[in-house]
Amino acid sequence: MKGLGIVTTEASAEPTRRDFLYIATGAVAAVGAAAAVWPFISQMNPDASTIAAGAPIEVDLTPIAQGQDIKVFWRGQPIYIMNRTPKQVEEARNTPLSDLKDPQTDQARTKEGHENWLVVVGICTHLGCIPIAHEGKYDGFFCPCHGSQYDSSGRIRQGPAPLNLPIPPYQFVSDTKVQIG
Amino acid sequence: MSGPSTYQPQSPLMKWLEQRLPIAGLVHSSFIAYPTPRNLNYWWTFGAILSMMLAVQIVTGIVLAMHYTPHVDLAFDSVERIVRDVNYGWLLRNMHAAGASMFFIAVYVHMLRGLYYGSYKAPREVLWILGVIIYLLMMATGFMGYVLPWGQMSFWGATVITNLFSAFPVVGDSIVTLLWGGYSVGNPTLNRFFSLHYLLPFVIAGVVVLHVWALHVTGQNNPAGVEPKTEKDTVPFTPYATLKDVFGMSCFLVFYSWFIFYMPNYLGDAENYVPANPGVTPPHIVPEWYYLPFYAILRSIPNKLLGVIAMFGAIIVLLFLPWLDSCKVRSSRYRPIAKRFFWGFVATCLVLGWLGSKPAEGIYTTLGQVFTFFYFAYFLIVLPVLGRMEKTLPLPNSIAEDVLNKGKVTKAVAGLVAVLFAGGLMVGGVQPAKANEGGENPPSLQWSFAGPFGTYDRAQLQRGFKIYKEVCSNCHSLKLLQYRNLAEPGGPGFTVEQAKAIAAEAQIKDGPNDQGEMFERPGRLADTFHSPFPNEQAARAANGGAAPPDMSLLAKARTYSRGFPQFIFDFFTQFQEQGPNYIAALLQGYEDTPPEGFSLPDGSFYNKWYPGHSIKMPPPIQSGMVSYDDGTPETLEQYAKDVTSFLMWASEPHMEARKRLGLQVMIFLIILSGLLYFVKRKVWSNVH
């Protein structure tokens, strides 16, 4: 087969018109191939109805007595809403920042005027299990999977988790109603 | 794949790998150094085009399966969610649906090419048989894929095709039960069809490997039908055949894109935009166009079992073709009589396809029988007899001599283009042929969204929405639409705040709450335009026994026949506004007194355009009923146009994005094809 003048064997110092044609065609084809891949990647992202379903939700706080908590779901994630006792609030506020793995004040994690309410995403920052409320040594949350312990402000105190429980975006619509998202 | 490789690895890494797994050598000998006859014409590029289509179908199919739900209650809506909500979902779905038709167009060209040039003859019998097996697998895959959207045609297609097996004595009913997994076509059927539809393409890919393997053992046939003798007769696969194939594929993509972006529903059946209803059979059950010739054969035999046998026999006979054709000369080029019979056979297939789309009555049945005879006669009488008596023309001594004799390339290209368009036309011709009720058609109106550059008129969509809200929504749901759609690009152009306000006016049933009770709350953007009735029975009871249909897809689910030759022009002008024309005409088609001799049932109204003319819906709207604040005339005619435009948008919210992307893709592909053509010509210049 070698005898049949294969195009690429010819050595040439300068680019010729023919080379330009080959390069241009290759470049156009490469651009097209790259563009064609995009829809196949983009379709993996959340679709429009999933995004729309992730709109903010409102939660009525009246049924939650002091010392109790509820778990609601927002965007498929469990959100703990905890009505903390004064003792819990006090403990959270009196903990020196130097004791914390991920230093953050309780004030920064709650809304002023609504100090008793703790709203956190109930997903352990270690590997995604759901910690149990009102358990563990710090009267906060205890993750049964790998033993991470969070305090009454949802801050990591002990165990393998690296970070505090995240605070979702939320605001108080009224004293008894909170909007999450 | 044939014999030891001539591949010499250069780098130490490749040498190391080659001693352990000679994969680079395999690729080199199969796709680079592989000698291919130098006189191949463009009909030979369809092998590569088919490989491309198989890849496209597998890739888009895997992606669609990520979003599809194989359940009778959810399948239809999940397909619509793909089209409406998944990023580029409309594109992926159109690619897959039109891709099936493209796959079959390409395979028919490929098979007819094999037939014309005698590619099935010794030593290529196994190659041909493997091809027939691939074709059978494709038919099974295509059929099961068509069931998945769970529209009316999906359901009734599944019912009719599975019932074919009941024709076999003794075991027939057991086979049908086995296919259904129940007493009728239902959820188990859908689930197993989904599973098999996912599996079979990989089986096809496996048989394709065998097909290519067999090809590379015997070498390719060629238009002259004489085997290559010296090196002068062949060229290396790369770059020669590769470039030619890539150019062919690029041209085919232009044709394919025409359907994806501009005529996505030309190849489909409007009836399949109606969700499956096990209680009502559509008036015309018609399979997809690629099965029509076989469907015609099935129906032309008055006996159930014999009909089924004839239909399967029409495909099985292909397996024996290498032994039925007794002529030693391969190419029809050198068989003047066989050539004529070949074109007669092509015409027979086309006529059978046309007959398959017609109702099985009167002259169509007789014609079906005649052409069924022609079909089998070609294989069982013409080819065996002709080989013994035909006087063939002298063959060229070698392929090189054949190349020197003529430059038939342009003729082949012209033929190719003609076949592609004829294929598209035949396919599209089936659609209007289906619902041919006779009588006149609704008038064709001017729509802003028609044509390749058509867009929706925002103000018109807003007016149409007002009519929907004030009039239609009292009875009809629009459940595939959510309030957020009103503010999305390509739609009526409401602001998010306006859409929120519209949503908040609706009372949505939600719950249960902590007490276990259902409650009502104001609507949100993510809520759907749901039915004013709590369930279908209530809707039926409140409307004289006829439940008002959901309007989400109405503009795509209604159609009428345009007839010959109009449908040919429709292919080029991209006319696809039958649905809107019908809806607009229906709204204005009420007549107080039915024509002489028409007996109108109680509780029904006479409508000129409704099939059967007796409609349960009272005239829904009159001039002056809805007030416009933009000075548009408040006439019935205007109302009909506005609400129809709104319904068209509701049935295809991403139409503008489709046409916009289509233009970009078309320009790109035409440039690419042009460049590839010149590259191919340059590379081949030292061979010709």
Side-chain angles (χ1 to χ4, degrees), chain B residues 171-219:
Chain B
V171 291
D173 286 334
S174 310
I175 293 176
V176 174
T177 308
L178 205 67
L179 290 172
W180 287 346
Y183 302 109
S184 60
V185 173
N187 202 48
T189 325
L190 179 59
N191 267 295
R192 64 194 57 187
F193 277 19
F194 178 55
S195 170
L196 293 172
H197 182 70
Y198 204 110
L199 167 72
L200 285 185
F202 296 97
V203 179
I204 292 177
V207 185
V208 166
V209 170
L210 296 180
H211 191 67
V212 173
W213 186 9
L215 174 76
H216 284 216
V217 169
T218 60

Side-chain angles (χ1 to χ4, degrees), chain A residues 143-166:
Chain A
C143 181
C145 288
H146 308 98
S148 291
Q149 308 240 12
Y150 299 87
D151 66 13
S152 55
S153 189
R155 294 173 297 196
I156 180 66
R157 302 297 289 273
Q158 198 183 319
L163 296 172
N164 301 335
L165 292 179

Side-chain angles (χ1 to χ4, degrees), chain A residues 40-123:
Chain A
F40 292 89
I41 296 169
S42 176
Q43 56 86 20
M44 303 266 270
N45 271 319
D47 67 24
S49 64
T50 306
I51 292 168
I57 56 166
E58 284 189 355
V59 182
D60 180 17
L61 301 177
T62 41
I64 314 168
Q66 205 166 65
Q68 288 191 332
D69 65 274
I70 61 162
K71 192 160 59 178
V72 296
F73 276 85
W74 177 65
R75 296 189 169 174
Q77 299 182 334
I79 310 283
Y80 276 114
I81 303 176
M82 187 184 267
N83 189 351
R84 300 187 292 178
T85 60
K87 181 170 162 279
Q88 280 180 307
V89 175
E90 201 181 330
E91 272 172 14
R93 304 219 152 176
N94 291 341
T95 308
L97 287 186
S98 55
D99 282 7
L100 299 172
K101 206 171 178 180
D102 179 13
Q104 219 177 3
T105 63
D106 186 60
Q107 283 84 343
R109 295 173 59 80
T110 51
K111 301 273 186 216
E112 210 181 324
H114 304 281
E115 286 82 7
N116 56 325
W117 292 104
L118 178 72
V119 182
V120 289
V121 177
I123 295 179

Side-chain angles (χ1 to χ4, degrees), chain A residues 60-64 70, chain B residues 510-520:
Chain A
D60 180 17
L61 301 177
T62 41
I64 314 168
I70 61 162
Chain B
D510 202 347
N513 61 15
D514 292 342
Q515 283 72 47
E517 285 156 7
M518 304 302 282
F519 58 92
E520 292 213 326

Side-chain angles (χ1 to χ4, degrees), chain B residues 593-657:
Chain B
T593 44
E596 202 89 13
F598 185 89
S599 70
L600 196 64
D602 270 354
S604 294
F605 301 86
Y606 184 85
N607 191 302
K608 187 177 174 193
W609 302 111
Y610 191 73
H613 303 302
S614 154
I615 188 169
K616 289 275 188 187
M617 173 170 73
I621 187 164
Q622 282 92 37
S623 293
M625 234 168 108
V626 177
S627 60
Y628 283 157
D629 28 355
D630 62 353
T632 312
E634 294 166 4
T635 59
L636 174 58
E637 194 188 346
Q638 187 63 38
Y639 289 157
K641 261 198 103 167
D642 291 349
V643 77
T644 303
S645 294
F646 172 74
L647 290 178
M648 186 62 218
W649 168 75
S651 73
E652 200 184 351
H654 295 304
M655 187 206 72
E656 291 183 7

Side-chain angles (χ1 to χ4, degrees), chain B residues 293 343-353 370-376:
Chain B
W343 289 112
F345 175 72
V346 173
T348 300
C349 292
L350 291 175
V351 172
L352 280 173
V370 171
F371 280 90
T372 299
F373 172 77
F374 287 168
Y375 181 95
F376 284 103

Side-chain angles (χ1 to χ4, degrees), chain A residues 1 3-7 18 21-22 24-25 28-29 31-32 38-40 42-49 52-53 63, chain B residues 33 35 59-60 63 66-67 85-88 91-92 95 231 234-235 239-240 484 526 668 672 675-676 678-679 682-683 686:
Chain A
M1 293 301 101
L4 269 169
I6 295 177
V7 282
R18 191 181 59 194
L21 178 64
Y22 295 164
T25 309
V28 170
V31 168
W38 176 242
F40 292 89
S42 176
Q43 56 86 20
M44 303 266 270
N45 271 319
D47 67 24
S49 64
Chain B
V59 171
T60 54
V63 164
M66 293 180 189
H67 303 281
D85 289 341
V86 173
N87 300 331
Y88 293 100
L91 172 65
L92 299 165
M95 280 174 82
E231 282 200 351
T234 62
V235 287
Y240 297 98
R484 64 184 163 86
F668 171 83
L672 180 65
L675 284 168
L676 284 169
F678 288 113
V679 169
K682 268 267 171 0
V683 167
N686 54 4

